Amino acid sequence: MYVIEGLTVHLGRWEDRGWIGVENSRFFKAAAYRLRYRSAITTFEWVKGHNGDPGNEAADGLAREGALKPLPDTLDLSVPNNFTLHGVKLSALTQQIAYQAIRNTKAEKHPPRSSASNNLARIQAGLVEQIEHPETTAQIWLQCQNTNLRPLVRQFLYKAIQHAYRIGDFWTPIAGYEERAVCPFCKDSADNLDHILLECEAPAREVIWLLAADLWPDAYGPCQTSPTTGATPRAPPPPPMMTSLPAPTRGHPAYSRF
């Protein structure tokens, strides 16, 4: 029903708002163009899925075939200018639509940081290694905004992926501050986030991972005490005497690193 309603019920409203904020707009625009190009009346009929209908079964087979392809097919989604409506109708323009249009324009002019793209690729590789399921970058960003996570956790995930913390290599090119790039505990390693979370010999790192292991849901299986970079942490539950370690406070060395 999503596709049928999109092409029959919502199409006019989506065109009035200039397709701003409409998911899968490229596909709907291309489909609308081809329907109008036919110059004949097209009707849609909904059928119940997985109910033996020949057309539906054939569509399911094509969908499975496409999902199993190692690379997606190249689709011609181009729409001629004489079939394209540009801009937003003034009667349909709202502050929300205008703000979203500005954000979309800025996103097109400013592509993602190379460091963010690299970190997202590492996360995707880690997910494939751990759960054998690839994940899109859009879904990863969406999960970083999950309201089940505390605001400080969401902020940490966002800044970590964006390589936004002023630590490690950030200080290397700044004259007079080069020493800040080196880990104050290990003395011979760059104080980057990978080192802080996975390699540093500071006691705070061990405390953090013990606390993380203590909080890890049993339903997700055992956790590793030394997770690899980009992978989901999976460490075995710590011994009972270790779970009573106090959580780091603002005066704890774990906080001074950021």
Side-chain angles (χ1 to χ4, degrees):
M1 290 297 292
Y2 168 64
V3 176
I4 294 178
E5 290 184 353
L7 292 172
T8 56
V9 179
H10 306 303
L11 183 61
R13 180 166 56 86
W14 288 347
E15 289 179 328
D16 288 347
R17 62 181 290 159
W19 296 97
I20 296 171
V22 178
E23 294 185 8
N24 302 310
S25 59
R26 294 187 306 141
F27 302 103
F28 278 112
K29 283 193 283 187
Y33 155 62
R34 282 162 176 76
L35 289 173
R36 287 167 175 160
Y37 186 77
R38 292 184 68 243
S39 71
I41 296 176
T42 303
T43 59
F44 297 94
E45 180 183 357
W46 179 85
V47 296
K48 186 176 181 180
H50 310 291
N51 199 37
D53 183 86
N56 182 262
E57 296 297 328
D60 285 345
L62 291 173
R64 283 193 296 271
E65 180 184 338
L68 294 174
K69 288 185 176 181
L71 295 174
D73 292 336
T74 301
L75 301 179
D76 180 13
L77 301 178
S78 60
V79 179
N81 284 331
N82 56 327
F83 278 90
T84 303
L85 296 176
H86 298 281
V88 185
K89 267 190 175 181
L90 287 178
S91 59
L93 183 63
T94 64
Q95 184 177 3
Q96 180 185 14
I97 293 175
Y99 181 67
Q100 195 164 10
I102 293 172
R103 293 192 62 179
N104 293 344
T105 303
K106 291 179 66 177
E108 293 173 0
K109 291 183 178 179
H110 303 283
R113 297 180 181 183
S114 59
S115 55
S117 298
N118 292 337
N119 285 334
L120 287 169
R122 294 165 66 193
I123 293 172
Q124 289 173 313
L127 288 170
V128 171
E129 178 184 347
Q130 294 291 332
I131 61 176
E132 299 180 355
H133 178 71
E135 199 61 87
T136 63
T137 56
Q139 188 64 26
I140 293 173
W141 282 124
L142 184 65
Q143 291 303 318
C144 288
Q145 302 170 23
N146 193 317
T147 54
N148 289 323
L149 302 174
R150 294 176 59 190
L152 283 177
V153 176
R154 298 199 297 267
Q155 182 186 65
F156 169 77
L157 293 173
Y158 177 82
K159 294 180 73 173
I161 293 175
Q162 291 283 9
H163 199 63
Y165 282 109
R166 297 183 177 184
I167 54 176
D169 295 334
F170 172 85
W171 299 103
T172 302
I174 303 177
Y177 291 90
E178 298 88 347
E179 72 280 358
R180 294 192 180 186
V182 181
C183 175
F185 294 93
C186 303
K187 307 298 184 182
D188 59 352
S189 301
D191 202 27
N192 294 319
L193 198 57
D194 289 356
H195 174 77
I196 293 173
L197 294 178
L198 305 174
E199 303 166 356
C200 185
E201 298 176 0
R205 187 183 73 86
E206 183 180 358
V207 172
I208 290 172
W209 283 114
L210 288 171
L211 292 171
D214 193 25
L215 294 172
W216 190 261
D218 293 336
Y220 292 172
C223 229
Q224 305 170 27
T225 49
S226 300
T228 56
T229 304
T232 306
R234 297 192 174 184
M241 73 285 293
M242 302 302 288
T243 59
S244 60
L245 288 170
T249 61
R250 288 196 175 275
H252 196 281
Y255 279 90
S256 65
R257 309 294 289 283
F258 300 98

